[in-house]
Amino acid sequence: MLKNDSLAIIEQYKRRLAGYTIDQLQYKSKEDVWSVGQMYIHVIDVAEEYINHIQTCTMATQEKHGGKTEAGTKAFNEKVWPDVRVKLEEPVNRTRNPDSKEEIIAGLEQVIKKLKYWEEHVHGTNQACKVCHGWFGWLNACEWFEMIGMHSRHHLRQLAKLEQRLAEAGLCNN
């Protein structure tokens, strides 16, 4: 059974966003560490990428019989993204800082709108139509939907660390 909390996780990000100022969202404790805002942009961008994979799977006419990697099988069995720091090949500065809080809100609302649509339609798709994930292997539309929640939950751990850095810099509202 899928743990379909992708929509709830993105809505949680939207609720939490209300507690930040733009200065807090853009604060970088070090050049090679994301700001809270950059992390939000990353979560939105990846959710959009995975939603595109859902759409690709649903429109596919050719079945793919590849399976998951060992890491993918473990992640889906445990219903959790591995608790490891993933070093992206791109420089940390490639994920830009947001210009405004409204920009992040609009991105989250767009993701929520698409997730609500796919929540209703993803289960009727051909589960043999898949797109390959570079780390987890071949995933179908339902698994890509689930991956949005898994990936977003993974970044909630990072968010806690970034909030600690805000506190250390004296930028918390508390």
Side-chain angles (χ1 to χ4, degrees):
M1 184 70 182
L2 291 177
K3 185 174 182 176
N4 281 332
D5 64 350
S6 297
L7 182 58
I9 296 295
I10 298 299
E11 288 174 336
Q12 178 182 351
Y13 272 96
K14 186 177 174 193
R15 284 189 306 273
R16 288 180 78 155
L17 183 63
Y20 296 108
T21 66
I22 190 63
D23 290 337
Q24 290 170 323
L25 289 168
Q26 293 176 336
Y27 173 75
K28 290 175 61 79
S29 61
K30 292 190 224 173
E31 188 56 32
D32 66 341
V33 174
W34 275 344
S35 68
V36 171
Q38 283 175 296
M39 190 214 64
Y40 264 88
I41 295 292
H42 172 74
V43 167
I44 291 165
D45 287 350
V46 170
E48 289 283 359
E49 176 188 343
Y50 291 0
I51 289 166
N52 288 338
H53 293 323
I54 293 168
Q55 186 170 4
T56 299
C57 290
T58 61
M59 295 174 64
T61 56
Q62 189 173 16
E63 296 182 354
K64 304 282 185 181
H65 297 288
K68 293 180 192 69
T69 62
E70 184 178 330
T73 299
K74 184 177 189 302
F76 276 88
N77 284 343
E78 295 174 2
K79 304 296 183 208
V80 67
W81 191 278
D83 190 14
V84 296
R85 184 169 184 207
V86 177
K87 185 75 172 165
L88 299 176
E89 291 179 19
E90 65 189 46
V92 73
N93 292 330
R94 185 163 176 222
T95 302
R96 62 180 180 72
N97 241 334
D99 293 324
S100 69
K101 197 171 178 177
E102 292 72 26
E103 171 189 354
I104 297 172
I105 292 168
L108 291 171
E109 286 176 350
Q110 185 67 20
V111 168
I112 288 168
K113 178 181 175 185
K114 291 176 181 179
L115 285 175
K116 285 180 179 178
Y117 172 83
W118 285 113
E119 188 174 49
E120 297 294 320
H121 296 90
V122 74
H123 296 291
T125 63
N126 181 344
Q127 300 305 299
C129 293
K130 302 175 184 179
V131 172
C132 191
H133 182 275
W135 188 15
F136 293 155
W138 290 93
L139 307 176
N140 62 44
C142 288
E143 292 164 334
W144 281 109
F145 187 91
E146 186 175 3
M147 281 279 288
I148 295 166
M150 289 168 55
H151 178 259
S152 300
R153 279 193 312 275
H154 165 74
H155 281 287
L156 287 175
R157 294 187 290 252
Q158 180 186 20
L159 183 56
K161 292 174 186 171
L162 293 173
E163 287 174 342
Q164 179 62 37
R165 291 174 189 244
L166 285 173
E168 290 166 359
L171 295 173
C172 280
N173 296 334
N174 302 344

